Amino acid sequence: MLSKPSPLANGSLGRVGREADALATRLAHSLKQPVQFLSFWGAIGLPFVHLSMLVQGLESVSTVALFVGLLALNVVALYLGHGYNQS
């Protein structure tokens, strides 16, 4: 009894995988510049929000949670935007 070869032979699966990797790489490169731009300027602007929150006071639990969340967002923005406009 002979079995039919699969329409998706190993060679075609490897080619599809390489094409998907190439597409993912192109997508990552195309998104890198805008993400770094937004992160860089977000990291610059967020401390002003922190300062205004501190001036108003952190009296409620929700305000403290918002402050800590924005602080964590600022750390992420610093990390993502650190290489912006470096040639």
Side-chain angles (χ1 to χ4, degrees), residues 39-53:
S39 297
F40 176 81
W41 288 107
I44 289 174
L46 278 172
F48 294 106
V49 176
H50 297 149
L51 188 59
S52 67
M53 289 180 76

Side-chain angles (χ1 to χ4, degrees), residues 8-86:
L8 295 175
N10 288 340
S12 65
L13 285 177
R15 182 176 44 88
V16 170
R18 286 188 302 274
E19 289 173 359
D21 287 343
L23 178 63
T25 301
R26 283 194 308 268
L27 181 64
H29 285 296
S30 68
L31 290 177
K32 182 180 178 183
Q33 184 73 16
V35 167
Q36 278 188 331
F37 171 80
L38 291 173
S39 297
F40 176 81
W41 288 107
I44 289 174
L46 278 172
F48 294 106
V49 176
H50 297 149
L51 188 59
S52 67
M53 289 180 76
L54 287 173
V55 168
Q56 291 178 357
L58 302 175
E59 298 170 355
S60 68
V61 175
S62 62
T63 307
V64 172
L66 178 63
F67 181 80
V68 170
L70 287 173
L71 193 60
L73 182 63
N74 198 0
V75 169
V76 170
L78 283 168
Y79 178 75
L80 292 176
H82 78 278
Y84 174 68
N85 212 13
Q86 291 181 354

